[in-house]
Amino acid sequence: MTTSHRESQQMMQPDHTPPQAHIVAYQHPDLPGVLLCRKHGEEWTGLLPLTSRDLPDGGFCNWGTPDGHVCGRAFPMKKRTSR
């Protein structure tokens, strides 16, 4: 397979997207099932940032209030490539 000059130029250009733009969720380091969306997780220190590659099956934000309200925001699943 050959690539055109334009395609090779595009492959060589750096990704200028800030790293946090790829973050879809945050995970509690000691509680693997606890996920928070960007809105509820960005302020917390010690949480592990996750991308859609880290969540191949997606997930939901577990942030909640004492009265039982849960955010429930869905995290995107990893895009599957067709064969």
Side-chain angles (χ1 to χ4, degrees), residues 63-71:
W63 179 88
T65 61
D67 64 356
H69 172 77
V70 175
C71 173

Side-chain angles (χ1 to χ4, degrees), residues 18-28 35-50 61 63 73 75:
Q20 61 270 40
H22 297 291
I23 297 170
V24 296
Y26 291 91
Q27 180 178 6
H28 191 286
L35 300 172
L36 298 175
C37 65
R38 289 180 63 176
K39 176 182 175 184
H40 294 117
E42 285 182 342
E43 301 282 324
W44 292 69
T45 58
L47 295 180
L48 306 171
L50 303 174
C61 179
W63 179 88
R73 179 174 285 143
F75 305 126

Side-chain angles (χ1 to χ4, degrees), residues 10-27:
Q10 289 174 343
M11 288 188 292
M12 291 173 34
Q13 294 194 7
D15 183 7
H16 294 292
T17 307
Q20 61 270 40
H22 297 291
I23 297 170
V24 296
Y26 291 91
Q27 180 178 6

